Amino acid sequence: MILSRALLKRHTVLPGFDLALGFALLYLSLIVLVPLSAAFLKTFTLSWSEFVAAVSTPRVMASYRLTFGASFLAALLNAFFGLIVAWVLVRYTFPAKRLIDALVDLPFALPTAVAGIALTAIYAQNGWIGRWLPFKVSFTPLGVWVALVFIGLPFVVRTLQPVLEDVSRELEEAAATLGASRWQTFMKVIFPILLPALMTGFALAFARALGEYGSVIFIAGNMPMISEITPLLIITKLEQYDYAGATAIAVVMLVAAFMLLLTINVLQAWSRRRQGGL
Amino acid sequence: MSSVAAALHALPATAPRPGVELSTVRGATTEPVWVQRALIGAAFAFMTLFLFVPLATVFFEAFKKGVDVYLAAITDPDALSAIRLTLIATVISVPLNLVFGVSVAWAITKFDFRGKNVLLTLIDLPFSVSPVIAGLIYVLIFGLQGWFGEWLRAHDLKIIFAVPGIVLATVFVTFPFIARELIPLMQAQGIEQEEAARVLGASGWQIFWRVTLPNIKWALLYGVILCNARAMGEFGAVSVVSGHIRGETNTMPLHIEIVYNEYQFAAAFAVASLLAALALVTLVLKYVVEQRVKRQKRSTGDRAE
């Protein structure tokens, strides 16, 4: 009764608001909010200078460079090929299209550890693909990038597909009637419609890659300063019972993740507006 | 050619003049055949390098040393206990998130209240948190140096490096799945049917079981499938809280890691192949249910118009 009186904006005949919202809030708090706030509270046991020192040692800085850099480049490749895959799946017909469409979600469904050992085996120097390459992939930063491409693959495809399906053919016909080439139509008519969704997909893939652990640690080789990702560094600190140090790095990653979440929300709102306006 | 025909079919206004051969006419809204082929080829190449080959590798490596080695690997006592623990964690975490998903979706989609958007954002929060951090936060609370560490030790209870910790971490990482599938569908369905049932004298539970649940059952199943797949496959979060005690606190993905690090590659891939098979089953179920949800959304849309 208290919840409904305090929060409801208008009268309703439907029952269950207090029970449903009450349970949801309790569960959300116990599972997510209180534990997450524990991370922030723990860092208060450090002074500001201790915190800065913990999150900016050369080894930690090297791990940020690798994690953010590889995640960015992986999301970039996914944006490019994700656009092609989504385009091909929506616009063309070809054999086994449905199968391929369904398999796009494989990185969501395949456990990260399984993906990790499979990618390591393929891209090792005697692996199916690795033996044909003139450079090493497994156990180098390049391997980190390969794993992050794998896990980010579905995001761009899946955010673009519905938008691409909704692009009205009349706009393209109008462009063609007015003398635009197909390339001009794509660049000036279709691409601007897709851009917000493309950026959303990019941001989602980037955010996922930042926190990824399971698929990366098998293929990375995990050499400090070279191929050690930030989530692994958190675990290493934890295993040395340096809880405060581990948490400080975790808080840096959490803040980055929350800022990305905010960006994604803004991008999604933009995407909806752009679609709604057409 | 079929794509050209399809494009023309979609555009009756640009039908070819009599006498012009079909194959020489290209719709104004499609690309030359060589561009289409190149794009399809690029998509295939990308998917092959990053998806198909890894998937095939899992099964190839698993059976490389023969069926005997495969069977020995998955019937190993440690492997069996890992499978059991994975099932326990899943059987607890999926129903918990199911109840949460339904109740939060009910509150959000059937009522108009202050703070709704904040709540919507908070539901998605676990997706943006690294699995490693998901494990870490429970260590900070229930670990030996944690908030309740002293108390738990005094009462001889163990959460971290034990099964409850693994369940908690699994619940956290699978938290949003079911709510996320339900909310958009229930929003589209509106509240008219429930209101009608209420006016006709149905109680809250009657409304839920007889009106709402039949409307959302496919989306609910879809959410459960996704939640289940992630619960069984979670690695990072579980790894932090498990303690890696063989035969006791190892889930399937953790068992794979241990066996792999001992250079028993065939055994690691054997257990991995079970999870890969589960992933494929998930994709098939997901596809089937997705078609149902799409159909339902379409009919909901029709009704709204």
Side-chain angles (χ1 to χ4, degrees):
Chain A
M1 282 303 113
I2 302 164
L3 280 176
S4 47
R5 213 169 295 154
L7 296 172
L8 276 184
K9 282 184 185 164
R10 55 192 166 84
H11 181 71
T12 171
V13 295
L14 291 178
F17 179 73
D18 291 288
L19 180 66
L21 189 69
F23 173 73
L25 288 179
L26 180 71
Y27 188 75
L28 177 76
S29 308
L30 287 180
I31 299 291
V32 180
L33 299 182
V34 173
L36 271 182
S37 61
F40 289 92
L41 289 175
K42 180 78 185 176
T43 54
F44 289 134
T45 59
L46 295 171
S47 71
W48 177 246
S49 56
E50 281 172 327
F51 175 81
V52 172
V55 300
S56 61
T57 63
R59 189 171 164 189
V60 180
M61 295 304 279
S63 84
Y64 295 146
R65 269 196 299 278
L66 175 66
T67 304
F68 282 85
S71 299
F72 185 83
L73 293 176
L76 210 59
L77 190 83
N78 275 322
F80 180 74
F81 279 101
L83 176 60
I84 294 179
V85 172
W87 180 271
V88 161
L89 286 174
V90 171
R91 292 284 172 117
Y92 303 154
T93 50
F94 52 91
K97 180 172 149 172
R98 282 193 163 185
L99 182 72
I100 289 180
D101 193 4
L103 277 176
V104 166
D105 284 327
L106 185 71
F108 284 156
L110 194 71
T112 52
V114 178
I117 61 172
L119 290 169
T120 310
I122 300 165
Y123 288 91
Q125 272 178 310
N126 57 355
W128 286 357
I129 296 177
R131 74 175 65 160
W132 305 107
L133 299 173
F135 44 85
K136 271 181 82 172
V137 177
S138 287
F139 316 122
T140 71
L142 202 58
V144 176
W145 175 78
V146 166
L148 297 180
V149 170
F150 175 85
I151 55 126
L153 195 147
F155 289 99
V156 174
V157 181
R158 290 301 184 231
T159 40
L160 275 180
Q161 258 176 330
V163 182
L164 202 48
E165 273 162 13
D166 280 352
V167 171
S168 88
R169 289 286 174 115
E170 282 98 44
L171 285 174
E172 293 171 49
E173 284 169 29
T177 314
L178 294 170
S181 73
R182 194 64 194 137
W183 178 246
Q184 284 175 318
T185 308
F186 178 78
M187 288 311 288
K188 301 207 164 155
V189 177
I190 304 173
F191 191 72
I193 301 174
L194 299 182
L195 186 63
L198 187 65
M199 287 173 67
T200 309
F202 174 87
L204 287 169
F206 182 61
R208 174 70 211 268
L210 278 187
E212 178 57 19
Y213 173 72
S215 58
V216 174
I217 53 152
F218 291 98
I219 201 170
N222 306 326
M223 278 168 293
M225 303 299 295
I226 298 170
S227 59
E228 187 178 51
I229 54 166
T230 311
L232 177 66
L233 207 53
I234 295 174
I235 288 197
T236 310
K237 296 243 174 205
L238 211 51
E239 280 169 354
Q240 295 162 346
Y241 299 102
D242 181 5
Y243 284 28
T247 313
I249 302 172
V251 163
V252 172
M253 295 305 278
L254 277 176
V255 170
F258 293 159
M259 274 160 33
L260 261 173
L261 187 69
L262 209 68
T263 313
I264 291 166
N265 278 348
V266 171
L267 283 172
Q268 272 169 340
W270 181 30
S271 185
R272 270 196 298 275
R273 260 203 318 278
R274 175 147 301 187
Q275 269 182 285
L278 287 165
Chain B
M1 286 312 100
S2 63
S3 55
V4 176
L8 286 173
H9 182 73
L11 299 166
T14 61
R17 276 169 286 129
V20 179
E21 249 186 73
L22 241 187
S23 59
T24 61
V25 177
R26 184 163 57 80
T29 58
T30 186
E31 290 75 41
V33 174
W34 70 268
V35 174
Q36 296 194 12
R37 295 228 172 108
L39 289 176
I40 292 172
F44 259 102
F46 177 66
M47 300 265 293
T48 305
L49 277 183
F50 285 99
L51 276 192
F52 306 145
V53 176
L55 183 63
T57 303
V58 175
F59 293 99
F60 178 81
E61 295 281 337
F63 288 103
K64 204 164 145 187
K65 293 198 173 153
V67 178
D68 293 343
V69 175
Y70 182 86
L71 289 177
I74 59 174
T75 52
D76 177 84
D78 288 344
L80 288 177
S81 92
I83 294 172
R84 200 170 50 238
L85 183 55
T86 293
L87 291 177
I88 291 173
T90 307
V91 164
I92 299 174
S93 54
V94 173
L96 279 176
N97 286 334
L98 176 77
V99 174
F100 166 74
V102 171
S103 54
V104 82
W106 178 267
I108 283 180
T109 61
K110 305 294 175 193
F111 302 93
D112 210 9
F113 60 93
R114 272 181 279 275
K116 197 191 257 192
N117 286 330
V118 179
L119 183 58
L120 271 170
T121 309
L122 290 179
I123 294 170
D124 273 347
L125 212 51
F127 275 163
S128 54
V129 173
S130 169
V132 168
I133 297 175
L136 169 74
I137 55 180
Y138 290 112
V139 173
L140 292 179
I141 293 180
F142 299 112
L144 271 185
Q145 302 179 22
W147 292 356
F148 299 115
E150 290 285 315
W151 187 87
L152 286 168
R153 196 165 49 177
H155 291 78
D156 206 20
L157 294 169
K158 233 179 157 186
I159 291 183
I160 298 305
F161 305 145
V163 178
I166 291 171
V167 172
L168 273 176
T170 308
V171 169
F172 183 93
V173 294
T174 57
F175 186 86
F177 279 102
I178 295 171
R180 258 187 145 188
E181 292 308 320
L182 290 181
I183 291 169
L185 179 73
M186 287 170 72
Q187 226 144 25
Q189 285 172 341
I191 57 171
E192 285 148 37
Q193 293 191 14
E194 280 84 2
E195 281 179 339
R198 184 65 172 170
V199 172
L200 293 170
S203 75
W205 290 111
Q206 281 175 323
I207 295 175
F208 177 74
W209 288 108
R210 302 213 183 146
V211 178
T212 309
L213 193 61
N215 275 336
I216 62 169
K217 61 177 183 238
W218 290 111
L220 196 65
L221 184 62
Y222 185 51
V224 167
I225 290 168
L226 295 179
C227 188
N228 178 68
R230 180 69 195 267
M232 289 194 162
E234 178 52 29
F235 178 75
V238 171
S239 170
V240 174
V241 296
S242 126
H244 306 273
I245 308 164
R246 276 199 153 189
E248 276 181 51
T249 61
N250 265 345
T251 60
M252 285 170 82
L254 298 178
H255 181 74
I256 293 172
E257 184 197 19
I258 288 186
V259 179
Y260 184 88
N261 285 341
E262 289 169 349
Y263 301 102
Q264 303 179 42
F265 296 132
F269 277 104
V271 180
S273 75
L274 296 178
L275 287 173
L278 172 82
L280 289 178
V281 172
T282 303
L283 290 186
V284 171
L285 287 175
K286 184 170 177 292
Y287 183 78
V288 172
V289 173
E290 219 167 28
Q291 298 303 316
R292 298 262 178 178
V293 173
K294 256 188 205 165
R295 218 174 302 158
Q296 198 171 13
K297 264 188 194 152
R298 221 171 295 144
S299 67
T300 310
D302 290 347
R303 222 181 299 142
E305 284 164 22

